Amino acid sequence: MKNFSFYSPTIIKFGEGSIGKLQKLVEGKYERVLLHYGGGSIKKNGVYQQTIEQLENAGVEVFELGGVKPNPALSMVREGIELAKEKKIDLVLAVGGGSVIDSAKAIALGALSDSDIWDFFLGKESVEKVLPVGVVLTIPATGSEASMGSVVTNEDKNQKMSVNDDLLRPAFAIMDPEYTMTLPREQTFAGVMDILSHIFERYFTHTEYVELTDRLAEATIKTVVNNAYKLLENPDDYNARAEIMLSGTIAHNGLLGMGREDDWASHQLGHQLSALYGATHGVTLGVIFPAWMKYVYRENLDIFNQFAVNVFGVSAFGNTQEHVALEGIRHFEEFLKEIGLPRTLTEAGLPTNEFERMADLAVSMGSFGALKTISREDAINIYKLAE
Ligand code: NZQ
Ligand code: ZN
């Protein structure tokens, strides 16, 4: 096990009706709130109204900035920073999914800085001060409600980059599984894939003697898979939605990565598909992960065997390690098929003749990954495998 530090300051209010806790979370602490949201789902399903009521009861002044698009744009972040500075905002409240939360985090960072916000994403500036961010989560997927990251797309440069710092972890997150009932089916399952991917990025590692986090990761993967099947049968199953929502936070708040090296190559490869073609984050991961697994599993046959046996119940008896590892990957692909996610670039309707362009973007800051270091050539090979 590696040495590690763990910091998860986010207050979580979880369960049906937990929006009722918002008033107390802001009352007396904040005065001028920037309410940040997406393209309108919260106005259709009533979440907006319930949020506004709580803020009114808390007696805070509310400024609104809606219209965040999936794979949030730098231009909107810049607009938010200007507004936050002008109105002297003291809390940025994100009501929505990862895109809204990440945009809110970047605004909260830029609001207290004179530097160009993109410099933080390029690693030219370090994070020192950030306004508090609150979250009302409407889609379990990214874990951004408790994570240290913000991922933003610079539309002019086709670059999708992240800034990571503990100061970016939200102050609080309201998580009501009922709020996720209005999600379109594809978003629900893209979210499921994203949650699994955050576990995979930590689970498939060279780090040894991490038995506790191995078992916690396997339990979380199995919980997500079991409850995804339940949602296939009945999308209104509150308990299944609650299990997936909780798993989404656990998958990416740092708990499952304690003491382990983490990878993030598949995220890096997937981000280019969002930057270039606007692909949904979870969809890119469903396409990339099976290909990445097939490309790298020989780097650590033991962990891929453990995955096959402990998660999907593959029998190790009388089988080679190679066979067991590949069976685990096959089961995972089968799961993707059952939940209706594309498993290849072709199935996702993404180009299969631009691998060099994708790879060039992926390695723009150098090679990446931990289980196997991914070079430009490796990136091309993985995209080809995902064809
Ligand atoms: O914009 P609206 O109208 O609200 O619609 C959204 C959007 O179209 C819709 N939606 C959300 N909640 C809904 C709903 N529709 C109906 N009912 C609801 N309850 O869902 C669509 C997708 O929303 P988005 O916020 O884009 O989804 P997600 O949470 O998957 O966020 C994806 C973004 O987060 C980044 C991704 O790269 C991507 O840009 N990530 C952030 C991470 C982090 N900060 O820690 C880690 C992740 O790995 C990821 O990279
Ligand atoms: Zn992700």
Side-chain angles (χ1 to χ4, degrees), residues 83-101:
L83 187 64
K85 284 183 172 171
E86 182 194 322
K87 303 294 181 194
K88 300 195 168 37
I89 293 299
D90 56 9
L91 172 74
V92 186
L93 182 63
V95 185
S99 297
V100 176
I101 304 168

Side-chain angles (χ1 to χ4, degrees), residues 203-272:
Y203 181 78
F204 294 108
T205 177
H206 285 298
T207 315
E208 291 180 305
Y209 308 110
V210 281
E211 192 178 334
L212 176 62
T213 47
D214 271 355
R215 295 295 89 78
L216 290 171
E218 287 156 3
T220 317
I221 298 169
K222 286 169 85 163
T223 302
V224 174
V225 168
N226 285 344
N227 287 283
Y229 282 127
K230 288 186 188 170
L231 287 186
L232 267 184
E233 293 274 310
N234 175 16
D236 296 333
D237 182 337
Y238 174 88
N239 291 311
R241 292 225 173 245
E243 296 283 0
I244 288 176
M245 199 172 211
L246 178 56
S247 301
T249 306
I250 295 296
H252 199 40
N253 73 346
L255 179 75
L256 302 183
M258 285 179 173
R260 313 171 73 96
E261 189 173 53
D262 47 6
D263 195 274
W264 302 105
S266 300
H267 269 71
Q268 181 66 4
L269 293 164
H271 281 342
Q272 313 322 319

Side-chain angles (χ1 to χ4, degrees), residues 38-42 45 68-72 96-100 102 105 138-139 141-144 147-151 160 179-184 187 194 198 252 264 267 271 281:
S41 70
I42 65 164
N45 60 19
V68 180
K69 295 207 174 74
N71 303 314
S99 297
V100 176
D102 287 0
K105 287 175 173 179
T138 64
I139 166 171
T142 64
S144 187
S147 83
M148 69 190 309
S150 162
V151 190
K160 185 173 182 181
Y179 281 6
T180 72
M181 300 277 188
T182 54
L183 276 169
Q187 288 293 347
D194 195 19
H198 298 152
H252 199 40
W264 302 105
H267 269 71
H271 281 342
H281 178 61

